[in-house]
Amino acid sequence: MASDLWSEEHLNCPVCLEILNDPVAIPCGHSYCTGCIKNCWDQTDHTGVYSCPQCRETFTPRPVLRRNIVLTEVVEKLKKTGLNPPPAQSYAGPRNVPCDACTGRKFKAVKSCLTCLASYCETHVKPHYEGAAFKRHKLVNATGNLEQKLCAEHQRLCEVFCRTDQTYICWLCADEEHKSHDTVSAEKERSVKQKQLGETQTEIQQRIQERLKETEELKHAVESLKRSAQIEIKKSEKIFTELIRSIEKIHTEVIELIVANKKAAVNQAEGLMKKLEQEIAELCRRNVELKQLSETEDHIHFLQNFQSLCAPPEAGDLPSVTVNTGISFGAVRKAVSELKGHIEVFCKGELFKITKTVNETAVYTLRSRSSDRRFKVNEAGVYSLQAPEPRNRAEFLKYSFQLTLDPNTAHSVLCLSEGNRKVTWRRETERYRDHPERFDRYSQVLCREDLSGSRCYWEMEWSGVGAFIGVTYKGISRKGRDVSIVLGYNDKSWSLDCSVSSYTARHNSNETSVAAPHSPRIGVYLDFNAGTLSFYGVSDTMILLHRFQTTFTEPLYPGFRLRADSTVTICQLN
C-alpha cells in the first residue's frame, strides 16, 4: 500500500518535482512544499496578487499556509519504511531516452525493444524478462528514434542490408524491389563492418599513441624552449646592461671632457683678464700723472718729471689679444648626434637579424602524414617551423582573405562601387565628407581590414593606365603634396606599380624594375610572421613578379593608388 501511495503524483511537489517536504495545502486544494510555495509568492509580493502554480487560481490577500497533516503522515511513513523516491538522476533528462510506458514525469529508459519499438525503464522492462510472451522480443540498450528503424513502406523492422544500394530494408523489400540485389542480414553485414570497425579502432588507437607521444615531446620541447628563453633573456639583459653602461660611460666621458675643457679655458681667460686689468690699472695711474703734469704751473717741476713720465709705455709681457666671439661646443653636439645616428642605424640592422633569428625559433613543424607521421626534433630539442610557401593557386586560395575598401580614406577623384570592392578614377570628384584618414592630394584608398600574425592571400583585377597595389602601416601620411605619401615612397609601405608595359616594385623610394608579361590580374600573398610580401601575375599559372623580405612590426592595410582613367576591383575568391 505504501508503495502504491508513493507512486501517486500528488506526493511530488509540482514546483521542485521532489517528494513533498513539510507539505502545505493552499485554498484551491493543491499541495506544495512549504519552502517552494513561499518562494513563489515572495516573488509576487509587490503585486499583491498570489496564484497557484498549477491551476493559476488567484488569491487576495496572501493566503495563510496550513500544514497538510495527511500528506505529512504519508511522507513520514515512506521515510520510515525506507521507500524513498528514486534519485533525481533516474528521471529522463534532455539527453536521455524516456520510458514510453511511464505516465506523468517519465523515468530514464534502460532498454529498447526492437519488436515493440518502445523503450522501457527498469520497472517497465521487467515483463520482458519475466513473461513468456516477450521471450522472442529483442532488447537492446536504450536508443532513441526507433521509428527510423522501420521500413517506411511496409512499417516492418529493417533487418536486411542491401549492398547494392547501400541501404537498410525489411524482408518484404528484399523479396520485392531488391530481389535481384546483393542482400544479406543486418547481423551478417554487421559482422563484416565489425571487422572494419576493429581495424579502424586499431588505427585510431595507434594514432592516439602517436599523438600522445607527440604531445609529450611537444610538452618537453615547450619546457625546453621556456628554459632556453629565460636563460637568453637573462643573458641578453646582462649584455644590454653592459651596453648601456658603455654608452653611459661614453656619455660621462664626453660630459667630463666638455666640463674640463670649459674649466681650463675659463681659468686661462680669467688669468689673462686679471693681467689685463692690472695693465689697465697701471696705464690709468700713469695717465693721471701725465694729466697732472700737463696742468702744473711750475715749469721746473714739469721739466724735471717730463723725461720719466713721457717715456713710451713698455710693451709688457702680454701679446695682443684677439677674442673668438663665436665660441661654442656645437661641433661636439654634431659629433654626438652623428654617433647617435650611427648607433641607431647599426642597431636597426642588428635588430633585423636578431628578429629574424627569433622568428625562426618555433615549437613545432607540420608535415603531411602520408609522407611522415612523426614530428622531428632538432639538435637543440626544439621543433622548428619551416612551412613551405604555397606552390600553386589552389594552395594560395587556402589563405584567401576578403577585403573591402574604406570610404573614409578614398581621395575625392575615386569612386567606390560593388559593395566597396571596386574603385574607379573619375574626373568628376566625389562629395566625401572631411575625414582625418582621407588622402587629400594623391588618388589613393586603403582597405578596412588590418592584416597581422597570419598568412593572407587576395587578388585584384586592374585596367586602364596603371595602378599601385600595395600594403602600408596605418601611420602613413594622408595630407599634403609630399611624394612620400605615395605607396612605396616611404618606409611604412610596400607597393607594385603596374602599367601596361612594365612593373616596378617600391619601398622607401627604392625601386626594382620587374620584367614580366602583362597581367590584368594580380595576386598578393602576405606571410606576416615570415616577413614576406609577394606579388604574382595570375593566369593559367602563378608568375612571381616580386617578393619583399623584411620584418613587419605593425598591422598592414592593403591599399591602391590609381592613375587617370584606371580601375581596380578586389576579386571574390570564396
Side-chain angles (χ1 to χ4, degrees):
M1 180 65 180
S3 177
D4 293 339
L5 283 172
W6 174 82
S7 65
E8 296 295 330
E9 289 186 7
H10 60 257
L11 289 182
N12 288 338
C13 173
V15 176
C16 67
L17 302 180
E18 302 294 341
I19 193 168
L20 288 163
N21 181 23
D22 193 14
V24 293
I26 63 176
C28 63
H30 291 113
S31 298
Y32 299 91
C33 299
T34 302
C36 290
I37 193 63
K38 279 186 176 181
N39 288 337
C40 287
W41 286 353
D42 286 346
Q43 295 175 13
T44 59
D45 260 341
H46 64 284
T47 65
V49 179
Y50 307 91
S51 62
C52 173
Q54 277 189 285
C55 67
R56 301 299 178 185
E57 183 178 345
T58 58
F59 315 104
T60 304
R62 179 169 176 165
V64 177
L65 299 176
R66 300 186 183 280
R67 191 178 189 191
N68 191 322
I69 299 175
V70 175
L71 284 179
T72 302
E73 291 178 353
V74 171
V75 171
E76 291 299 324
K77 287 181 180 180
L78 285 174
K79 290 181 179 179
K80 289 179 181 179
T81 57
L83 296 176
N84 292 321
Q89 59 265 26
S90 64
Y91 289 109
R95 297 184 180 180
N96 302 128
V97 178
C99 175
D100 293 318
C102 286
T103 59
R105 189 179 183 192
K106 296 181 177 295
F107 292 114
K108 181 171 62 177
V110 294
K111 293 290 182 181
S112 295
C113 178
L114 299 181
T115 306
C116 301
L117 291 177
S119 300
Y120 304 102
C121 63
E122 291 181 354
T123 300
H124 292 112
V125 78
K126 287 181 180 179
H128 277 73
Y129 294 126
E130 299 170 356
F134 298 103
K135 290 296 183 182
R136 294 184 179 180
H137 287 208
K138 188 172 183 180
L139 293 175
V140 296
N141 289 333
T143 181
N145 301 321
L146 291 173
E147 299 80 7
Q148 295 181 0
K149 303 182 185 299
L150 290 177
C151 170
E153 183 177 353
H154 302 106
Q155 293 299 304
R156 296 286 189 93
L157 185 66
C158 293
E159 298 180 279
V160 181
F161 182 76
C162 177
R163 291 176 173 172
T164 305
D165 294 339
Q166 291 292 303
T167 186
Y168 304 97
I169 58 177
C170 69
W171 285 110
L172 290 177
C173 292
D175 291 337
E176 295 176 2
E177 60 265 30
H178 294 266
K179 187 174 183 179
S180 60
H181 292 183
D182 181 11
T183 58
V184 294
S185 67
E187 185 177 359
K188 185 174 181 180
E189 183 66 17
R190 160 70 183 271
S191 64
V192 175
K193 293 291 194 293
Q194 187 75 35
K195 183 178 179 182
Q196 295 177 2
L197 185 144
E199 293 173 353
T200 303
Q201 281 183 307
T202 301
E203 184 178 352
I204 288 175
Q205 290 170 359
Q206 182 181 355
R207 182 77 63 82
I208 290 172
Q209 293 304 315
E210 290 177 358
R211 287 302 196 189
L212 287 173
K213 183 179 179 182
E214 291 164 358
T215 302
E216 194 62 29
E217 291 176 347
L218 194 56
K219 287 180 180 177
H220 289 311
V222 168
E223 292 303 319
S224 175
L225 182 66
K226 287 180 179 178
R227 290 193 298 271
S228 176
Q230 195 60 37
I231 292 172
E232 293 307 317
I233 287 173
K234 290 183 178 179
K235 290 183 177 179
S236 297
E237 287 178 347
K238 182 179 178 181
I239 293 171
F240 277 108
T241 300
E242 293 173 353
L243 177 61
I244 292 170
R245 286 175 180 170
S246 297
I247 293 176
E248 289 176 345
K249 183 179 179 182
I250 295 173
H251 171 227
T252 302
E253 290 177 353
V254 170
I255 298 302
E256 289 177 350
L257 179 63
I258 294 174
V259 170
N261 188 280
K262 177 198 73 173
K263 186 176 181 180
V266 168
N267 289 338
Q268 290 177 0
E270 288 178 347
L272 180 59
M273 283 190 293
K274 187 175 181 180
K275 290 180 179 180
L276 289 173
E277 289 170 353
Q278 290 174 351
E279 184 174 334
I280 290 169
E282 178 61 26
L283 290 174
C284 289
R285 182 190 62 75
R286 188 171 178 186
N287 185 51
V288 170
E289 290 179 348
L290 288 173
K291 183 179 180 182
Q292 292 175 350
L293 183 63
S294 67
E295 294 175 352
T296 184
E297 295 179 355
D298 186 345
H299 302 303
I300 299 301
H301 175 75
F302 178 86
L303 294 174
Q304 287 177 339
N305 292 282
F306 173 80
Q307 190 66 31
S308 60
L309 292 178
C310 287
E314 295 180 2
D317 297 331
L318 291 177
S320 176
V321 178
T322 301
V323 180
N324 181 9
T325 57
I327 187 170
S328 76
F329 286 94
V332 178
R333 182 175 65 253
K334 182 179 179 182
V336 173
S337 296
E338 290 177 354
L339 174 62
K340 171 178 172 289
H342 292 323
I343 292 175
E344 287 178 346
V345 171
F346 176 77
C347 288
K348 186 177 290 187
E350 292 305 308
L351 179 61
F352 174 79
K353 296 177 184 178
I354 294 170
T355 303
K356 186 176 180 181
T357 303
V358 173
N359 287 340
E360 289 175 352
T361 304
V363 184
Y364 61 87
T365 180
L366 300 177
R367 292 186 175 88
S368 172
R369 286 193 166 272
S370 59
S371 60
D372 186 2
R373 287 177 176 266
R374 297 178 181 273
F375 291 114
K376 303 297 182 182
V377 184
N378 62 22
E379 295 179 358
V382 178
Y383 294 95
S384 62
L385 178 62
Q386 295 293 337
E389 186 169 298
R391 294 164 295 181
N392 52 56
R393 188 165 181 266
E395 293 184 1
F396 278 106
L397 291 177
K398 294 178 182 178
Y399 304 100
S400 62
F401 191 87
Q402 190 59 51
L403 300 172
T404 53
L405 299 168
D406 185 356
N408 291 332
T409 65
H411 186 272
S412 59
V413 299
L414 300 180
C415 175
L416 306 188
S417 58
E418 296 185 11
N420 290 339
R421 290 188 300 104
K422 182 177 181 180
V423 54
T424 305
W425 190 98
R426 289 185 177 179
R427 298 186 186 279
E428 302 83 10
T429 59
E430 297 290 323
R431 294 183 178 179
Y432 294 124
R433 57 180 180 143
D434 292 337
H435 198 279
E437 295 185 358
R438 189 175 311 286
F439 292 98
D440 67 352
R441 174 64 178 85
Y442 293 97
S443 53
Q444 297 188 143
V445 62
L446 302 184
C447 292
R448 293 180 183 274
E449 295 76 16
D450 62 287
L451 310 175
S452 64
S454 62
R455 294 179 167 196
C456 301
Y457 177 76
W458 61 96
E459 292 179 358
M460 67 289 304
E461 292 183 344
W462 70 276
S463 60
V465 178
F468 286 54
I469 298 169
V471 297
T472 180
Y473 295 148
K474 190 171 185 178
I476 187 173
S477 298
R478 316 294 176 100
K479 312 297 182 183
R481 295 177 175 272
D482 196 312
V483 73
S484 64
I485 296 173
V486 179
L487 292 173
Y489 282 87
N490 51 70
D491 61 357
K492 294 181 174 61
S493 62
W494 297 256
S495 72
L496 181 71
D497 181 1
C498 305
S499 66
V500 178
S501 59
S502 65
Y503 301 98
T504 304
R506 289 189 180 90
H507 170 63
N508 205 18
S509 296
N510 295 318
E511 298 184 355
T512 302
S513 297
V514 179
H518 171 70
S519 175
R521 193 179 184 100
I522 302 295
V524 183
Y525 174 71
L526 169 67
D527 189 337
F528 189 93
N529 292 332
T532 60
L533 177 68
S534 307
F535 295 87
Y536 291 86
V538 181
S539 56
D540 295 334
T541 58
M542 302 281 289
I543 300 175
L544 177 63
L545 302 176
H546 186 76
R547 177 183 289 115
F548 291 102
Q549 182 68 58
T550 184
T551 298
F552 299 117
T553 58
E554 301 176 30
L556 294 166
Y557 291 80
F560 310 96
R561 181 198 175 193
L562 275 65
R563 291 193 172 92
D565 303 319
S566 299
T567 298
V568 171
T569 303
I570 299 172
C571 303
Q572 287 186 315
L573 302 179
N574 296 331

